[in-house]
Amino acid sequence: MRSKIQQKLSLQKTQRVRSSTILKLTLTAIYVVALLAFSLLSPSHSQVEASSGVTYYVSKNGNNSTGMSWQSAWKELDQIHWSQIKPGDTILLDGGGSSMTYTTTLTIGTSGASGRPVVIARSTDAGHNGTITLFGGRSTPLPYCGQSGYNFQTSGVLQAGINLGNNAYIVIDGKSWHGINIYGHDGSGIVFGTGSHDNLVRGMQIFDEGTAGQQSNGSWNPSGPYLINVHGYNQTFQYMDLHDGGEDAFQPTNINNITVQLSWLHDARVLPSHPGTAFNQCNHDDGMQIWTGKPVSNLTFEQDVVGPGKENGLILGNGLVSVSNVKITNSLFIDAGANNIWGSPATNWTINHITSFAENQNLIIDGSGHSVTNSLFYGGLMSFHGSIASQSNNCQWQTGGNTLSGQTANPQFASSLSAFPLGISTDVRESPTIATLTNLDFTMQPTSPCSGLGSSITSISNFLSTVGGTKVFATPTPKHKPTPTPTIVVPTQNPVIIATTGGGSNNPAQPAGGSTPAARKQAMILWLWIFLGVFVCIGAGGILWFTLFSKRSRARRRHRL
């Protein structure tokens, strides 16, 4: 009898040892899983969007110490301690109560990460949300073509307003139309390095950037470089007002996947002897020109206004560089002197819901695989070289050359264009004044046979009301202390997507709701944490239950013995 009891006790002891071993292994597994999950899911992991980062401050009124508050803010753009900046951090720029001017180059010194960009933004805090100016030091505007007696200022003048270098995942945000003004540099307003990528720039006015050259007769001409010298890939520009530089607004090289949204590429400053011509027409003065480098693909122009005052609106390829997969949608083109849109050599372009008025050449495109739909073309030469594979529901009037599928009919704009010269070889100096073109209204009358076609952006005034901009068309005059912007209108952080049915509504539809990829990632992380918490709680509960059960079992066995 005693032997059986001893055997039973020995068996129970072995079972307890095995159970204890299993429990230890279970606890170890729970610990390892928890440690691994914390490592992968913590906000410090480079592949996860941080819920919050550190905020730093730049202000002319700071004491230039830690940059951790307005009081300790770094005093100038070249005083930012880039070694402290990590992915997910924000640098707020003080705009003062009405304005604040910085006189050094914003040279980006680090990269963000996917989902965790480094954000440099105009502050929206009360008392700090005025207009920000990056002034290059040249207080005399660039000369107009053929100007005599000009004094080209170079001493103490910076070469660029913003230099992104080869950095990536950077957001530079003016927070409103003209939230950041950049001018007066003897170079470009913004320069991108050849290795830069995945950057977003928005809410800026860039003008009067470039150099000057003296001619053999002693007169002066404006000269480049360009307002934005862009390279790299996955670069996005929104809410940009680009005008009156030495040369093009954009002249990119070796780029892919570039997006320009809700932006105005134009000139307002006129040549004194010819008010229908911009002051810089002795140079290539284009919205965007691509003429050198490797083949380019994936360019998007959406809800933009191009013109007036440009020599070419979009001149992509220049007959030298292949440009493919271009999308031009819901945009307004106003009478570039030579070409509104020229693509060569070109492949797979999509042109949809645009309104394009031209006196000279309207749409020139070669190659293959193009689609032109729901668009309205008034005046100028149309030349396709058999390249358009899909064309439907278009409207043309007073054009020369090729005809698109759709109808030939007077669109009956609110502004009459009948007095304008529409010959395809028109001398641009005979054109209407830039001021006249700027004030045209392309809203169609209710009886228009082209109703529903073209861009829903029907005038500069309509466009500016969409982006929250001023309706004053005058070119700002460079000053050492720019005139403050009286009212700051903060637009939504994402582009306002407006209808593409034409008709000129001033009440754009808001983008459809829905979660962003970053929001979905955060939700997934939250659910993983919840699952881990439940798993740990169940494990802890099991351990507690087993411990209590074992104690009670041993007590009952001792009682029976």
Side-chain angles (χ1 to χ4, degrees):
M1 181 68 179
R2 185 175 183 82
S3 176
K4 289 183 178 181
I5 292 174
Q6 288 176 338
Q7 290 178 354
K8 188 173 182 180
L9 290 173
S10 177
L11 179 61
Q12 290 174 343
K13 182 178 180 181
T14 300
Q15 290 174 339
R16 285 196 301 273
V17 170
R18 289 178 179 174
S19 298
S20 176
T21 301
I22 292 172
L23 278 174
K24 291 177 180 177
L25 291 174
T26 301
L27 285 171
T28 302
I30 291 174
Y31 175 78
V32 170
V33 170
L35 185 64
L36 180 62
F38 180 81
S39 174
L40 292 174
L41 300 178
S42 68
S44 63
H45 192 267
S46 63
Q47 299 301 314
V48 177
E49 181 177 5
S51 58
S52 63
V54 178
T55 299
Y56 297 93
Y57 300 84
V58 178
S59 173
K60 302 290 286 188
N61 299 324
N63 63 22
N64 208 39
S65 55
T66 65
M68 298 297 293
S69 67
W70 288 124
Q71 182 179 3
S72 65
W74 298 313
K75 291 183 73 68
E76 259 292 348
L77 303 175
D78 65 350
Q79 297 300 303
I80 296 172
H81 297 177
W82 287 104
S83 60
Q84 296 178 214
I85 309 302
K86 308 299 180 187
D89 288 350
T90 296
I91 302 172
L92 292 182
L93 306 182
D94 189 1
S98 59
S99 66
M100 188 166 289
T101 298
Y102 297 92
T103 55
T104 60
T105 298
L106 174 60
T107 301
I108 307 302
T110 190
S111 290
S114 178
R116 294 187 299 148
V118 171
V119 178
I120 303 105
R122 178 180 66 83
S123 172
T124 57
D125 295 347
H128 301 279
N129 61 348
T131 301
I132 289 172
T133 295
L134 276 57
F135 178 54
R138 179 172 46 74
S139 56
T140 304
L142 293 172
Y144 59 80
C145 293
Q147 183 171 338
S148 60
Y150 181 75
N151 181 24
F152 180 39
Q153 179 185 350
T154 58
S155 177
V157 181
L158 302 174
Q159 292 299 301
I162 299 174
N163 189 342
L164 278 97
N166 290 322
N167 293 294
Y169 302 108
I170 302 294
V171 175
I172 307 176
D173 194 350
K175 291 291 184 178
S176 72
W177 185 256
H178 291 190
I180 296 176
N181 293 326
I182 305 176
Y183 74 92
H185 300 86
D186 285 349
S188 296
I190 305 177
V191 178
F192 290 78
T194 56
S196 64
H197 61 90
D198 292 279
N199 298 302
L200 169 61
V201 176
R202 60 185 167 194
M204 298 184 188
Q205 176 183 214
I206 305 177
F207 65 99
D208 195 46
E209 302 282 57
T211 58
Q214 191 169 23
Q215 310 306 300
S216 58
N217 63 1
S219 67
W220 290 81
N221 287 342
S223 185
Y226 334 107
L227 293 180
I228 298 181
N229 194 347
V230 59
H231 303 277
Y233 60 93
N234 297 347
Q235 318 283 27
T236 300
F237 303 89
Q238 299 170 347
Y239 299 97
M240 304 294 287
D241 186 2
L242 308 177
H243 63 94
D244 298 297
E247 286 192 17
D248 306 330
F250 293 95
Q251 190 176 118
T253 306
N254 299 334
I255 58 168
N256 285 293
N257 197 24
I258 305 296
T259 298
V260 181
Q261 295 174 311
L262 290 157
S263 297
W264 188 12
L265 318 181
H266 68 112
D267 289 309
R269 184 182 167 197
V270 302
L271 192 64
S273 59
H274 297 94
T277 302
F279 81 102
N280 53 9
Q281 282 284 335
C282 49
N283 296 319
H284 251 271
D285 167 39
D286 310 323
M288 178 182 286
Q289 180 188 23
I290 297 173
W291 67 278
T292 188
K294 298 177 181 179
V296 171
S297 65
N298 298 316
L299 305 182
T300 298
F301 301 89
E302 182 180 20
Q303 297 174 247
D304 299 317
V305 177
V306 181
K310 308 309 293 182
E311 180 179 353
N312 296 278
L314 302 178
I315 176 170
L316 308 180
N318 222 67
L320 302 170
V321 179
S322 176
V323 181
S324 61
N325 302 317
V326 175
K327 295 181 180 180
I328 308 172
T329 61
N330 202 20
S331 296
L332 174 63
F333 292 79
I334 306 177
D335 198 24
N339 302 279
N340 274 7
I341 302 172
W342 178 24
S344 174
T347 309
N348 298 332
W349 286 32
T350 298
I351 297 174
N352 183 43
H353 277 291
I354 75 167
T355 298
S356 183
F357 163 59
E359 297 176 85
N360 197 347
Q361 298 191 132
N362 203 323
L363 174 62
I364 313 296
I365 190 168
D366 62 19
S368 63
H370 307 308
S371 171
V372 182
T373 56
N374 305 305
S375 294
L376 198 160
F377 299 90
Y378 191 116
L381 177 66
M382 307 281 283
S383 181
F384 313 136
H385 306 283
S387 64
I388 299 180
S390 175
Q391 49 181 298
S392 63
N393 208 29
N394 298 293
C395 186
Q396 289 177 242
W397 187 244
Q398 299 291 337
T399 59
N402 299 137
T403 302
L404 292 162
S405 295
Q407 58 182 321
T408 301
N410 188 343
Q412 300 178 18
F413 292 132
S415 294
S416 174
L417 308 181
S418 60
F420 296 168
L422 297 176
I424 60 174
S425 60
T426 298
D427 184 340
V428 294
R429 292 174 298 179
E430 298 175 2
S431 301
T433 66
I434 290 178
T436 298
L437 293 170
T438 301
N439 285 287
L440 290 177
D441 186 351
F442 295 92
T443 303
M444 285 176 282
Q445 299 176 21
T447 57
S448 172
C450 306
S451 179
L453 304 183
S455 174
S456 59
I457 299 173
T458 56
S459 66
I460 303 299
S461 177
N462 167 233
F463 171 78
L464 291 174
S465 67
T466 299
V467 298
T470 175
K471 294 186 178 182
V472 176
F473 302 131
T475 304
T477 301
K479 301 176 183 178
H480 285 285
K481 294 182 178 180
T483 302
T485 301
T487 303
I488 299 298
V489 181
V490 181
T492 56
Q493 293 300 300
N494 296 312
V496 179
I497 306 301
I498 61 180
T500 57
T501 56
S505 171
N506 286 333
N507 298 307
Q510 296 298 318
S515 61
T516 64
R520 289 193 294 270
K521 181 184 287 186
Q522 286 184 327
M524 182 180 70
I525 292 171
L526 177 61
W527 280 109
L528 286 172
W529 273 110
I530 293 173
F531 173 79
L532 179 62
V534 171
F535 181 71
V536 171
C537 289
I538 291 174
I543 294 169
L544 179 62
W545 176 84
F546 181 84
T547 302
L548 294 174
F549 177 78
S550 298
K551 288 181 178 179
R552 291 176 180 176
S553 297
R554 288 194 294 272
R556 285 197 297 270
R557 285 193 296 271
R558 285 195 298 270
H559 179 74
R560 286 196 299 269
L561 293 174

